[in-house]
Amino acid sequence: MMKSILGLAALSLLLHLNAFEAHAEVKLGTLLSDGAVLQRDKPVAIWGSATPGEQVTVEFADQKQDGVANAKGSWLIRLAPLAASSQPRELKVRGENEIVLRDVLVGDVWLCSGQSNMNLPLDSTEGGDQEIAAARDPLLRYFEVKSAILEEPSEFADGVWQSCSPDLARRFTAVGFHFAKELRSELGVPVGIIKATLGGSPIEGWMAAESLYDEPAAIPAFDEWQRLEHAYQQRAQQHRQDVSQWEGRRDAAKLSGVEFTEARPTRPWEDSDRNKPGGLYNGFIHPLEPYTLAGILWYQGEGNVPRPAEYKVLFPKMIGHWREAFQQPELPFLFVQLPNYDQHDDLTKESWPRLREAQTAALRLEDVGMAVTIDIGDSVDLHPRNKRDVGRRLSLIALKQVYGRDVQDRGPVLADVQYGASEVRLEFDNANGLVARGNLSDLFTVAGPDRKFFPATARIEGDKVSLSSPQVPRPVAVRMNWINDPQSSLRNSAGLPAAPFRTDKW
């Protein structure tokens, strides 16, 4: 298996280097098309293919920049930072031929990626119909990358830039729409949203396969993919047999003149594709590189709930790799922590809090922000319909951390724990107006040295919470909302909740 993996990596690199070599005329990379939004205030990457050695000139907004296609036929030119502009302009690229892009704006461009909760369209969410009816904004642009799970990295992906209209808004990623709407209102500049999503996808599918080969934490991912692929091949073989037998019955009925109404056997679903390490990255993300972005929004994790320890390693690794691939080492990366959900087949009732904890490991990286949604999930629906608050909370983080606005962007954060003889005192930052939504005492459990947790009586004292339990005379550990589907939350005056946490590492 390892030989085949290394061989695949070598082939992938070779194809990547030669991807543009066969082209003679100038061509542009994915996302560089009519109606595009270019990123403001950063050097802007313009790239594509041409004849090796061919000189390429890019003209836009009183700039004229030259470059030369390399020996493999690829070229990259960077425009100097551009000021935001809602004026539609032309971008010209000349080599042996000329390409003219029309209706090009300059503003902020955000990539929205992940699985089904990022994919969920506006018309499937709370208040969606009202939003759709009013969704007319020529300065809000949308590019949807068409689904593609590929064996090798692709240089191109299908999709077009479109201006926001009611017809378009119906299929707009709801999270991305509400996020963009807040930015449009607060910043007043054009906004471009790129959607690259696929439901039911685990994180390993969104990572370059070569970034996983030497990563011990990725071994379960490869094992899971091989298991699913083997199961699919068995189903496919059975399907072929079923079809052959069905055709025999059909032909026999035809010869005997008997009406045949039996339906043809349904082709089995190939669920292994989306689990293939690198498959989604190859088809969805690689073709977009190195488009200049304001940042990335990420909503994913449900597909990795059974493997939180793996996710804790792979998630920060993916962030670093994407930043490197887009050639923006400080690219803001904002993600959604999984909401409350009652997974009935989870007997431990702790799978989701452990994945949430794994997600928070990424906060050790610079320029990373997390939107907490523990209070706006749905106990019985994996796809909560309230996406307005999700988009809004992401926008608050962006306004604070990316754009420097004076807004409250997070809920209470545990700052200190003090253990007394029979009581625990928790101190929180961002705790102005600390209040519980629901029953305060449902939030916390405490444990003694025996590691047995019991519900704690809680009381709020300013920015502190005091806890005690008659079953735990000497508490040494605290957990808050450490279950799959908590129904209470701890909030500040901005209405933003605290993330679930535990003080132990048991």
Side-chain angles (χ1 to χ4, degrees):
M1 174 184 170
M2 186 54 65
K3 289 182 178 179
S4 65
I5 288 175
L6 293 175
L8 181 63
L11 178 60
S12 171
L13 179 60
L14 181 63
L15 290 174
H16 181 80
L17 293 175
N18 288 295
F20 292 129
E21 189 169 13
H23 298 290
E25 63 179 16
V26 170
K27 291 188 177 180
L28 292 174
T30 301
L31 298 172
L32 295 170
S33 58
D34 290 345
V37 180
L38 301 181
Q39 179 58 42
R40 62 170 171 151
D41 301 334
K42 294 181 180 181
V44 176
I46 309 294
W47 80 100
S49 63
T51 302
E54 181 178 352
Q55 180 169 322
V56 180
T57 301
V58 175
E59 293 185 41
F60 182 72
D62 299 325
Q63 289 193 46
K64 183 177 180 181
Q65 305 285 359
D66 297 320
V68 178
N70 64 20
K72 300 299 181 181
S74 61
W75 56 269
L76 170 65
I77 294 172
R78 294 191 186 275
L79 297 173
L82 301 161
S85 174
S86 57
Q87 175 188 353
R89 288 179 287 189
E90 292 184 345
L91 186 151
K92 296 180 179 179
V93 180
R94 286 197 309 275
E96 295 177 3
N97 59 302
E98 181 177 85
I99 299 174
V100 179
L101 305 186
R102 294 175 173 81
D103 191 25
V104 177
L105 307 179
V106 181
D108 287 327
V109 185
W110 287 82
L111 170 60
C112 298
S113 191
Q115 55 183 109
S116 53
N117 271 304
M118 183 63 86
N119 184 68
L120 196 71
L122 189 59
D123 65 2
S124 297
T125 63
E126 290 179 4
D129 289 343
Q130 294 89 337
E131 295 287 355
I132 290 166
R136 297 185 183 278
D137 186 354
L139 301 185
L140 173 53
R141 304 284 173 88
Y142 186 57
F143 188 103
E144 180 177 352
V145 181
K146 302 303 180 183
S147 298
I149 305 173
L150 302 178
E151 291 282 339
E152 306 295 340
S154 174
E155 298 297 333
F156 301 99
D158 291 334
V160 294
W161 284 102
Q162 296 177 276
S163 297
C164 188
S165 67
D167 285 342
L168 174 66
R170 293 184 184 281
R171 63 180 187 274
F172 213 116
T173 159
V175 171
F177 176 87
H178 290 295
F179 174 84
K181 185 179 177 182
E182 293 289 336
L183 292 196
R184 288 281 298 122
S185 175
E186 292 293 328
L187 304 177
V189 303
V191 173
I193 293 293
I194 304 164
K195 189 189 85 165
T197 63
L198 188 67
S201 54
I203 194 170
E204 57 266 25
W206 294 101
M207 302 177 68
E210 59 267 25
S211 72
L212 298 171
Y213 295 149
D214 297 326
E215 176 53 67
I219 293 175
F222 282 99
D223 291 343
E224 176 68 4
W225 168 59
Q226 287 188 319
R227 182 188 69 80
L228 291 171
E229 178 66 15
H230 178 69
Y232 168 72
Q233 293 301 334
Q234 288 183 318
R235 294 197 304 273
Q237 182 179 0
Q238 182 62 52
H239 173 69
R240 288 190 291 270
Q241 295 174 359
D242 293 343
V243 169
S244 178
Q245 294 170 3
W246 176 86
E247 290 174 342
R249 294 192 296 272
R250 180 199 59 190
D251 295 344
K254 184 177 181 180
L255 287 173
S256 61
V258 177
E259 182 181 5
F260 186 73
T261 59
E262 180 184 342
R264 184 184 180 91
T266 304
R267 180 181 177 86
W269 181 46
E270 189 170 1
D271 56 353
S272 61
D273 275 1
R274 69 194 63 214
N275 287 76
K276 179 179 176 60
L280 300 171
Y281 170 80
N282 292 341
F284 282 92
I285 303 302
H286 189 269
L288 311 181
E289 301 162 1
Y291 203 77
T292 308
L293 302 170
I296 294 171
L297 305 182
W298 176 256
Y299 193 157
Q300 189 276 336
E302 301 93 335
N304 292 88
V305 165
R307 306 193 304 273
E310 171 190 334
Y311 200 89
K312 185 177 181 179
V313 176
L314 297 186
F315 186 29
K317 189 179 184 74
M318 188 199 79
I319 295 172
H321 174 254
W322 281 25
R323 286 172 165 173
E324 180 181 353
F326 280 98
Q327 301 176 24
Q328 294 180 248
E330 298 177 353
L331 185 63
F333 194 104
L334 314 183
F335 68 93
V336 179
Q337 188 185 50
L338 293 188
N340 57 298
Y341 174 66
D342 186 9
Q343 184 171 324
H344 296 290
D345 60 351
D346 176 20
L347 299 180
T348 71
K349 303 299 181 184
E350 289 190 3
S351 294
W352 283 60
R354 291 185 182 276
L355 195 285
R356 295 180 193 118
E357 182 182 59
Q359 289 178 304
T360 64
L363 294 176
R364 71 174 188 268
L365 301 177
E366 296 292 328
D367 302 303
V368 171
M370 181 179 77
V372 179
T373 62
I374 196 64
D375 59 330
I376 53 175
D378 190 311
S379 299
V380 297
D381 191 343
L382 189 62
H383 306 107
R385 304 298 157 167
N386 179 3
K387 291 297 188 276
R388 177 184 284 107
D389 283 331
V390 180
R392 176 180 172 273
R393 290 175 187 182
L394 286 168
S395 74
L396 289 173
I397 299 171
L399 290 170
K400 177 80 169 185
Q401 299 186 19
V402 179
Y403 301 107
R405 296 298 180 91
D406 184 17
V407 298
Q408 180 69 274
D409 68 330
R410 69 185 71 180
V413 177
L414 183 66
D416 186 45
V417 183
Q418 297 179 357
Y419 296 101
S422 61
E423 190 175 73
V424 184
R425 288 175 64 84
L426 308 176
E427 184 174 353
F428 293 87
D429 290 334
N430 302 311
N432 51 305
L434 199 63
V435 64
R437 176 193 174 190
N439 189 341
L440 177 63
S441 292
D442 287 345
L443 288 165
F444 299 96
T445 58
V446 294
D450 61 0
R451 301 189 176 189
K452 294 180 180 180
F453 283 89
F454 294 90
T457 300
R459 66 179 185 275
I460 295 175
E461 302 169 342
D463 62 352
K464 299 178 178 63
V465 177
S466 296
L467 307 174
S468 62
S469 172
Q471 290 96 345
V472 185
R474 187 165 70 87
V476 298
V478 178
R479 293 180 176 183
M480 190 192 82
N481 273 342
W482 199 257
I483 55 175
N484 291 347
D485 187 30
Q487 297 300 301
S488 299
S489 60
L490 189 66
R491 296 181 165 198
N492 57 20
S493 59
L496 299 174
F501 66 82
R502 60 173 176 160
T503 62
D504 65 278
K505 295 299 179 184
W506 299 337

